[in-house]
């Protein structure tokens, strides 16, 4: 009895919202009563003899935004929380990722964040997962009632969006089976700017529907990198794009050259050291380990206050989704804090031809110079504002042919010579190529080749 009294006292503010109706409550909201504590038991994931369902929530990312999310969710009454992150703590994280201490440097973010929250908020149970989101199968994600993203990687957010869209099942009449729909709350920050959105997979606009809001990654001319570097970024990309293939600094147990992995500290340090020598040769200032990581991973410095605001928006939406105490965001909110305070809320419409959620076969026509190499063709697809592929596989439809696959390593090594061959070796006008990308699970895009007129 004493523990129940302590529970009610500690969460009095939260439980007040669950115990009474209000003008902003969603249709169908039924407040808790003395004899029925369903909302409380669901939110707090409390064991009870009635078998009420429990809420389980997943936070993806334990960085600047993820730390704020874990804190906000734990203090909003959520009790069964999981967090997944593949990164370890760097000393540069400590100025804004407040769940970590200097003694945590080098340790997994997910594990340290979970341990801190569990020790500071009695009764909460944060379960860490120190791995990539791609390492988990569908059954892992199916156990959650809500997924919240606190990632700085667009590619990773595209991946989890495609997973959640793919988990939705429909009945014989084509209607969505509610239990298979997992709401996805996506938060993102970029300096003084941020956004929060709610995705109800296959019901509302998904993350992929809004890819046109993200500009393709900045690229540099190879000739500039090789001959006339002027910026620190030129030196860093020179090390990554040109010197890596030439020097072959890392090989695996089979003697195969490893591709640069920007989450591997040894790979990143090698790129930094080469870039620094290049910068000294051309008297260019500003190449640091931090700037090298920012360029190769396309990172924009984070600001703690922006993280706090966006995380609060996401946690608030999660609370409203699971309790029905107020209408949820519909469905996109933008925040700007560099010139005063400005917010904009609007409804992002679904794209009828969305690569992830439209459910229709995607056939795109692209004009291609058949003299260009396969590698140049792939680079064009990476820069395409619609596709923005990361590491695509290329297959010819008719006659069937596997042209290139980045994984597994044995297959990549076998097909690597194709990268330097002209496109005319694989296709002609009208040829259809099937493209898949690891960041878009279960999605295949057909590219119909339109041969560019050499006289045009």
């Amino acid at each position: 009895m004493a523990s129940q009294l302590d529970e009610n006292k500690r969460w009095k503010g939260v439980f007040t919202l669950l115990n009474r109706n209000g003008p902003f409550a969603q249709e169908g909201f039924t407040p808790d009563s003395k004899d029925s504590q369903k909302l409380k038991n669901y939110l707090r994931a409390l064991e009870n003899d009635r078998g009420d369902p429990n809420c389980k929530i997943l936070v993806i990312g334990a960085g600047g935004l993820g730390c704020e999310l874990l804190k906000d969710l734990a203090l909003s009454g959520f009790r069964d929380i999981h967090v997944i992150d593949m990164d370890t703590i760097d000393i540069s994280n400590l100025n804004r990722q407040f769940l970590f201490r200097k003694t945590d440097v080098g340790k997994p973010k997910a594990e340290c964040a979970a341990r801190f929250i569990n020790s500071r908020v009695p009764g909460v149970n944060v379960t860490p997962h120190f791995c990539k989101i791609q390492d988990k199968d569908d059954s892992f994600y199916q156990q959650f009632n809500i997924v919240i993203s606190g990632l700085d990687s667009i590619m990773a957010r595209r991946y989890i969006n495609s997973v959640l869209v793919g988990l939705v099942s429909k009945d014989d009449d084509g209607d969505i089976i509610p239990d298979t729909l997992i709401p996805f709350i996506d938060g993102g920050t970029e300096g003084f700017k941020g956004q929060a959105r709610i995705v109800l997979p296959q019901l509302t606009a998904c993350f992929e529907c809004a890819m046109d809001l993200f500009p393709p990654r900045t690229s540099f001319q190879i000739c500039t990198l090789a001959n006339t570097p002027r910026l620190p970024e030129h030196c860093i990309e020179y090390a990554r794009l040109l010197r890596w293939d030439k020097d072959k600094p890392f090989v695996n147990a089979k003697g195969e050259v490893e591709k640069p992995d920007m989450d591997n500290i040894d790979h990143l340090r090698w790129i930094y050291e080469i870039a620094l020598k290049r910068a000294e040769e051309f008297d260019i200032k500003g190449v640091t380990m931090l700037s090298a990581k920012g360029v190769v991973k396309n990172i924009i410095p984070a600001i703690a206050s922006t993280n706090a605001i966006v995380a609060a928006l996401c946690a608030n939406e999660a609370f409203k989704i699971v309790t029905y105490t107020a209408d949820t965001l519909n469905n996109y909110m933008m925040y700007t804090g560099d010139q005063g305070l400005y917010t904009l809320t609007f409804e992002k419409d679904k794209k009828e031809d969305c690569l992830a959620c439209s459910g229709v076969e995607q056939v795109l026509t692209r004009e291609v110079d058949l003299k260009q190499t396969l590698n140049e063709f792939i680079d064009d697809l990476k820069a395409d504002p619609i596709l923005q592929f990361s590491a695509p596989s290329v297959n010819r439809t008719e006659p069937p042919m596997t042209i290139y696959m980045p994984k597994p390593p044995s297959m990549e090594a076998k097909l690597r010579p194709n990268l330097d061959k002209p496109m005319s070796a694989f296709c002609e006008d009208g040829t259809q190529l099937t493209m898949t990308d690891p960041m878009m699970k279960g999605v295949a895009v057909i590219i119909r080749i339109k041969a560019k007129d050499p006289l045009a």
Side-chain angles (χ1 to χ4, degrees):
M1 178 63 73
S3 62
Q4 184 61 49
L5 291 175
D6 292 340
E7 173 88 2
N8 290 333
K9 182 177 180 181
R10 178 175 181 82
W11 302 106
K12 179 180 178 181
V14 173
F15 291 168
T16 298
L17 297 174
L18 308 182
N19 291 336
R20 63 187 184 190
N21 215 327
F24 301 109
Q26 296 183 44
E27 183 178 352
F29 171 73
T30 302
D32 279 351
S33 64
K34 185 177 181 180
D35 298 324
S36 178
Q37 304 284 311
K38 288 187 176 182
L39 286 176
K40 182 194 301 182
N41 289 333
Y42 181 62
L43 176 69
R44 298 289 293 147
L46 299 175
E47 298 296 333
N48 59 86
D49 55 12
R50 292 185 300 275
D52 292 338
N54 296 330
C55 179
K56 184 180 290 188
I57 194 164
L58 173 65
V59 175
I60 303 179
L65 195 55
C67 284
E68 292 281 357
L69 279 167
L70 290 170
K71 177 259 295 179
D72 289 346
L73 292 169
L75 295 178
S76 296
F78 292 93
R79 185 169 172 266
D80 192 352
I81 305 170
H82 289 239
V83 58
I84 182 171
D85 196 298
M86 61 173 285
D87 206 359
T88 56
I89 299 165
D90 185 84
I91 195 165
S92 63
N93 300 145
L94 302 184
N95 71 327
R96 63 193 182 280
Q97 298 176 20
F98 57 89
L99 300 183
F100 310 136
R101 299 295 179 265
K102 193 171 182 180
T103 54
D104 295 325
V105 171
K107 298 177 182 178
K109 288 184 176 181
E111 295 177 2
C112 292
R115 182 170 60 250
F116 192 99
I117 293 292
N118 289 338
S119 66
R120 292 295 293 269
V121 185
V124 73
N125 181 29
V126 180
T127 303
H129 303 273
F130 176 43
C131 60
K132 297 180 180 180
I133 57 176
Q134 294 89 343
D135 293 341
K136 298 294 187 180
D137 58 19
D138 288 352
S139 62
F140 172 79
Y141 294 106
Q142 285 173 328
Q143 66 181 303
F144 298 104
N145 303 99
I146 296 179
V147 173
I148 305 182
S149 164
L151 296 165
D152 59 6
S153 166
I154 292 177
M155 292 296 104
R157 290 150 78 184
R158 293 179 79 183
Y159 176 82
I160 193 62
N161 175 78
S162 66
V163 169
L164 297 178
V165 168
L167 290 180
V168 176
S169 298
K170 296 182 179 180
D171 58 24
D172 295 338
D173 295 326
D175 298 324
I176 291 175
I177 300 174
D179 288 345
T180 66
L181 190 153
I182 303 173
F184 175 39
I185 302 176
D186 175 65
T189 65
E190 185 178 284
F192 284 102
K193 300 177 182 179
Q195 57 84 26
R197 79 183 87 189
I198 294 179
V199 174
L200 301 179
Q202 297 201 16
L203 281 181
T204 64
C206 73
F207 186 87
E208 195 70 30
C209 290
M211 276 302 295
D212 54 350
L213 298 179
F214 297 100
R217 175 174 171 162
T218 301
S219 59
F220 303 103
Q221 294 293 328
I222 294 296
C223 58
T224 300
L225 303 182
N227 302 314
T228 56
R230 300 180 300 277
L231 302 171
E233 293 83 353
H234 292 163
C235 301
I236 296 165
E237 291 290 60
Y238 164 81
R240 183 176 72 92
L241 297 176
L242 300 182
R243 284 293 296 275
W244 186 281
D245 289 338
K246 179 181 178 182
D247 294 2
K248 301 177 175 57
F250 298 92
V251 295
N252 58 26
K254 297 180 179 179
E256 300 168 335
V257 179
E258 293 184 2
K259 287 197 168 186
D261 180 358
M262 295 307 103
D263 293 306
N264 185 315
I265 188 64
D266 293 330
H267 290 196
L268 187 61
R269 185 178 293 110
W270 185 89
I271 289 176
Y272 160 67
E273 291 172 353
I274 296 298
L276 185 61
K277 291 179 182 178
R278 181 75 166 174
E280 292 172 348
E281 180 183 351
F282 286 87
D283 195 26
I284 297 172
K285 308 297 182 183
V287 174
T288 65
M289 187 69 167
L290 187 61
S291 66
K293 185 177 182 180
V295 170
V296 297
K297 296 190 71 173
N298 202 26
I299 294 174
I300 296 175
I303 295 174
S305 58
T306 310
N307 286 336
I309 291 170
V310 172
L313 287 169
C314 294
N316 190 41
E317 292 305 318
F319 184 86
K320 292 190 291 183
I321 288 175
V322 303
T323 64
Y324 286 71
T325 50
D327 284 332
T328 57
L329 175 69
N330 184 30
N331 50 22
Y332 199 110
M333 180 175 183
M334 300 176 64
Y335 161 79
T336 303
D338 55 349
Q339 296 180 1
L341 178 63
Y342 175 76
T343 62
L344 173 66
T345 301
F346 63 95
E347 181 179 2
K348 178 66 178 177
D349 294 330
K350 287 189 66 176
K351 287 182 63 176
E352 293 184 0
D353 58 350
C354 173
L355 298 178
C357 71
S358 66
V360 299
E361 184 179 61
Q362 301 295 322
V363 181
L364 306 177
T365 299
R366 291 293 182 268
E367 190 175 49
V368 176
D369 182 353
L370 297 182
K371 293 181 180 180
Q372 73 174 164
T373 65
L374 173 64
N375 197 37
E376 292 171 334
F377 171 71
I378 291 176
D379 285 342
D380 288 344
L381 296 182
K382 291 179 179 180
D384 189 292
I386 295 177
L387 300 174
Q388 297 193 39
F389 283 146
S390 61
S393 296
V394 186
N395 294 273
R396 189 175 61 199
T397 307
E398 292 293 340
M401 178 184 182
T402 300
I403 299 174
Y404 182 73
M405 292 178 63
K407 289 184 179 181
S410 58
M411 181 64 75
E412 195 281 331
K414 180 181 179 181
L415 298 174
R416 190 182 306 153
N418 288 345
L419 292 173
D420 295 324
K421 295 180 180 179
M423 289 296 291
S424 58
F426 314 108
C427 57
E428 56 187 19
D429 187 65
T431 297
Q432 291 190 350
L433 302 177
T434 301
M435 315 289 297
T436 57
D437 192 88
M439 291 299 101
M440 299 174 64
K441 185 177 179 181
V443 176
V445 178
I446 296 176
I447 302 292
R448 180 182 291 117
I449 300 298
K450 179 181 179 183
K452 183 180 294 185
D453 185 350
L455 301 179

